[in-house]
Every structure is written in structure tokens, then in C-alpha cells.
Amino acid sequence: MSPTPAPDGVPTVLLHVWRVRSPGRALLRMGLDQVHLRRSGATFWQLLGTAGAGFGLRDADLHRWALLTCWPSREQAARADDLVTVRRWEQLAVESARLELRPVGTRGRWAGAAPFGPDTEPPAPGAVVGPVAAITRARLGRRASRDFRASVAPVAGELAAARGLRFTMGIGERPTGLLGTFSVWEGDDALRRFAHHAPAHVAVARQSRRNEWFAEELFSRFAVVEARGTLAGRPAANFASPATDRPSR
């Protein structure tokens, strides 16, 4: 069945994820590819390192890297596979995945931009059929780092055990200070259950607002339109399938 077309103004979002043998060559690519991506035609892009739940240098996974790009249409997004950047990462990779995402609710900013469209309310319960993905990203204020990091472990434990979670990883433009997560859920109800009812997560969300921990933050939901390749040792198509299966992290 063909995916439902995105409304006008809603971008097509691609997330490429690569696992590599050589962290040194990957770090070199992170620097060199900035120039190529500026000429790519993408409306927004970020080269991303990945991490565990702790967001610190010790949590960084130097063997897994990602590229997030946004495109005005699905037709333009299809050209992303021919980008010099994507081809060179594919040559480095021992595992690669490509996920196509359609924004279905977003709020906040990323580096001052609204990459997934203007702020919109999340979809009504049941409006999105099939798996959903979420991207969170925050930039800590100068005084928030110690307090925030002390709160991470309980939330990470809740997330790891969350019912309906299929995949999660930390993401960031650099290992510390810029914090994000990418996750895939069996459905929007599973994401809502964690976001609004997991006690540690709810408590930290309230505390962050009360203490103004974040200088900038973003939360976006996506329908998973298509997934191909291999992610975390499993066919990426599993993450786009409506069938319920065991979570992977």
C-alpha cells in the first residue's frame, strides 16, 4: 500500500544510520562532509554522533553515526541516496539503515530552525496507524548540566523497559551539551504512555520547565513511512512493520 501523501509544507525526513569499523575515518568524514551537505539541496541537515542514555563522552558510540536530512518532497528525498556524503558513508559502513519519516506533530527549535515544519499539535489518539518515531533534542543552559545529568539514569531505566519500544539511541551534534534521542515505537499509544505516564520521565520534564534547564528544545513525532537496510543487527523493515515484536535497543 502506498504511503499517505504528506500535506503541503510537511517535509520528507530521512535518517541514515551507519555502523563503521573505523571511528577515526568516521570522525574525518564528520568534518569533511559539512561542505557537501551545504550544497545538497536539503532544507535542513545534521551529521550526528550516537550514544547510550548517559549523553556523556563515556556513553558515545564511536562506531555508529547518523545523518538527518529534510526535503521539500518525497521525490527530492529520493535523490539523497546519490549524495556524495551518503555514498562515502556507505563505503565505510559494515551496517547501514535508511528510514523515511513523515512529521505528524512537532514543537520547538533545533539550532534556531523549525526543520520539521511549524509547531503543530500532536495527532489525536488513533490518528496515526502503525509504528511512530520520535526525535527529541535539547541544548542545556549553562547552569543546568550537573542537575540534568543526575536525573538521566532513572529516565534511561524507564525507557529501556518501556512497553512498545522497538529501538532507541542517543543522538547529538557533539558528545556533550547538545542532547537528543531517536526512538521507534510500535504505535503512538506506546509513545504517549511513556511520555505522559512514566513517573521519572514526567518528573524530569516538569523539573526542566520549572528550573529552565534547556536553552532550546524540540520534540517531534513521525509516521515511519519506509525503512530499509539493517539496524542494530535486524532488518530495518521490522521497525516499519505494524506487527508487534520484541523491542531492540
Side-chain angles (χ1 to χ4, degrees):
M1 183 174 65
S2 300
T4 303
D8 290 343
V10 174
T12 293
V13 180
L14 299 181
L15 182 70
H16 288 84
V17 184
W18 297 285
R19 181 162 289 281
V20 303
R21 284 199 181 94
S22 172
R25 293 179 69 186
L27 286 165
L28 181 63
R29 288 256 58 86
M30 289 287 284
L32 294 175
D33 287 332
Q34 307 289 332
V35 173
H36 297 297
L37 288 166
R38 291 190 190 103
R39 303 169 181 168
S40 66
T43 57
F44 181 85
W45 55 267
Q46 290 288 348
L47 281 163
L48 300 166
T50 74
F55 297 112
L57 285 169
R58 289 178 296 179
D59 302 291
D61 184 348
L62 296 180
H63 292 275
R64 185 169 63 191
W65 303 83
L67 171 65
L68 177 77
T69 55
C70 300
W71 303 86
S73 69
R74 199 172 187 220
E75 289 71 27
Q76 288 168 287
R79 299 201 297 265
D81 294 334
D82 293 325
L83 293 179
V84 171
T85 296
V86 172
R87 293 202 311 266
R88 288 178 176 171
W89 277 96
E90 291 288 340
Q91 291 169 0
L92 287 182
V94 295
E95 178 185 78
S96 67
R98 177 189 186 273
L99 288 83
E100 180 183 333
L101 311 171
R102 175 165 51 84
V104 292
T106 185
R107 61 175 172 79
R109 295 293 182 271
W110 188 331
F116 310 126
D119 286 4
T120 55
E121 293 297 320
V128 180
V129 177
V132 298
I135 290 176
T136 67
R137 187 268 188 187
R139 176 164 56 88
L140 286 177
R142 286 184 296 176
R143 299 180 180 179
S145 181
R146 180 179 299 176
D147 291 340
F148 174 79
R149 292 178 198 287
S151 72
V152 165
V155 178
E158 281 186 340
L159 179 61
R163 182 158 55 95
L165 177 69
R166 290 186 168 186
F167 175 79
T168 185
M169 65 181 180
I171 57 173
E173 298 99 304
R174 59 178 185 257
T176 59
L178 300 173
L179 314 170
T181 61
F182 172 75
S183 56
V184 181
W185 301 79
E186 290 182 355
D188 191 51
D189 57 340
L191 173 58
R192 289 173 184 272
R193 189 165 53 241
F194 174 77
H196 300 302
H197 299 291
H201 180 266
V202 170
V204 168
R206 289 173 177 166
Q207 194 174 3
S208 69
R209 289 192 292 270
R210 185 169 60 248
N211 297 331
E212 298 181 341
W213 281 350
F214 301 138
E216 182 182 62
E217 59 182 317
L218 173 141
F219 177 81
S220 297
R221 283 179 172 87
F222 306 84
V224 182
V225 176
E226 181 183 69
R228 61 183 192 236
T230 306
L231 185 60
R234 300 172 59 209
N238 289 0
F239 299 105
S241 168
T244 300
D245 58 2
R246 292 176 62 84
S248 176
R249 301 175 187 90

